[in-house]
Amino acid sequence: PERFLIEETSSLSYAGNLLNHRIVAAHGAADTINPVGGALAIYERLRSLGHSSLETHLYPYLGHGLDFNYPQAISSLVHNSRPKPLRIHHTVAWLRHGQAYWLRIAGMERHLRFAEVDAVAEPTSRRLEFQTQNVSRLEILADRLPFSEIPLMVVVDGQRFQTADSWPTTTVAWLEKDRSGIWRWLGKPPDGLRKTAAVEGAIEHAYMSSFIVVGPDTATLVRKDACAIAAQAAADRFCELWLKTYAVPCRQLPANLV
């Protein structure tokens, strides 16, 4: 979870989600509050994904804060977004942020990890193709697709599904991956209990409610046991990151007091 806590709030982790928005980045080259390296990293990330409307302007000697008509600039950028894009790149840390245009990440293989989908719609062949990482369930929102007819084929991580005769009567279609990594076309909501955006699961709820970070036994620290010292350092680092990220301190106790 330590690396996840570091990257979960980083804008670079979600840069690809801006693929269908016009981006104009203006940054003071002498900015010491929000250094220019962050803007350049996002620019390079979007360029590597093939972003087609991307500008970056660096202003020498300027620090943090530029004089813009922000409402006008934001309005211009919103009107230049694509409401039904042919390609979507979507990265999420939590299921509650799973929807992007005509797809929704509805399940993760491992939680407290990022889930990612790169999806392409081909209107002429009525084909949808998905490449996924750490995704166990996908929903396709048919009424938001960039074409009005029923998709004839859906491809997920190389697995093909002919969908003309099995597309559901509802506006949502479901796919689910089993533990062996094989995707199944469900066409209807999956049976049984599943984690949802409202119920992330036991591990996630533990981190969202009261919990204790348990360190090594006090006696092992007194003896200067190397493993105990390393474990204590890891616990301290986690608590430091948690406080920095969420502005709430962790409760921390040695194992002999738990």
Side-chain angles (χ1 to χ4, degrees):
E2 181 177 325
R3 185 172 184 82
F4 178 79
L5 284 177
I6 295 172
E7 297 180 350
E8 187 231 339
T9 55
S10 169
S11 56
L12 182 60
S13 298
Y14 310 100
N17 297 2
L18 299 173
L19 189 63
N20 293 294
H21 294 270
R22 182 187 173 206
I23 303 297
V24 179
H27 211 115
D31 189 342
T32 58
I33 297 175
N34 188 12
V36 70
L40 295 177
I42 291 176
Y43 173 83
E44 291 299 330
R45 172 65 171 151
L46 288 170
R47 192 174 69 166
S48 71
L49 290 171
H51 198 294
S52 59
S53 183
L54 179 64
E55 300 175 33
T56 297
H57 304 278
L58 300 181
Y59 297 95
Y61 313 113
L62 287 183
H64 188 73
L66 300 175
D67 187 13
F68 281 107
N69 184 331
Y70 285 100
Q72 181 179 344
I74 291 172
S75 175
S76 172
L77 294 176
V78 168
H79 290 310
N80 277 279
S81 64
R82 303 185 186 100
K84 292 187 175 183
L86 297 179
R87 184 188 173 197
I88 301 170
H89 187 94
H90 194 47
T91 301
V92 298
W94 305 97
L95 291 178
R96 62 179 176 270
H97 304 135
Q99 183 175 333
Y101 305 99
W102 41 267
L103 69 82
R104 182 184 293 119
I105 297 172
M108 297 182 182
E109 293 177 289
R110 297 186 66 189
H111 285 252
L112 298 181
R113 301 288 190 277
F114 290 104
E116 187 172 289
V117 174
D118 198 283
V120 177
E122 299 177 1
T124 304
S125 59
R126 291 157 59 185
R127 168 188 168 116
L128 304 175
E129 184 161 356
F130 302 86
Q131 293 291 329
T132 74
Q133 285 187 323
N134 194 34
V135 177
S136 62
R137 190 161 72 254
L138 273 175
E139 296 179 7
I140 303 172
L141 312 178
D143 59 337
R144 297 173 180 262
L145 286 170
F147 50 87
S148 57
E149 299 85 0
I150 292 173
L152 298 178
M153 178 177 289
V154 174
V155 182
V156 186
D157 296 334
Q159 295 177 234
R160 298 169 179 261
F161 302 94
Q162 301 287 345
T163 57
D165 298 326
S166 58
W167 196 265
T169 56
T170 61
T171 57
V172 182
W174 290 263
L175 297 106
E176 189 169 58
K177 186 181 352 181
D178 62 26
R179 292 185 178 181
S180 65
I182 303 300
W183 283 94
R184 295 183 299 134
W185 172 259
L186 300 179
K188 62 176 184 177
D191 298 325
L193 296 175
R194 296 290 190 279
K195 290 185 178 185
T196 68
V199 184
E200 291 277 359
I203 296 177
E204 293 76 17
H205 284 174
Y207 283 116
M208 294 176 193
S209 59
S210 299
F211 63 91
I212 299 173
V213 176
V214 180
D217 191 288
T218 307
T220 59
L221 290 174
V222 172
R223 294 197 306 268
K224 296 185 178 181
D225 180 85
C227 290
I229 292 172
Q232 186 62 52
D236 292 342
R237 174 63 173 162
F238 179 89
C239 291
E240 177 188 339
L241 284 169
W242 187 271
L243 179 61
K244 182 179 178 180
T245 304
Y246 300 111
V248 177
C250 297
R251 187 180 180 193
Q252 192 172 5
L253 289 172
N256 54 294
L257 297 181
V258 176

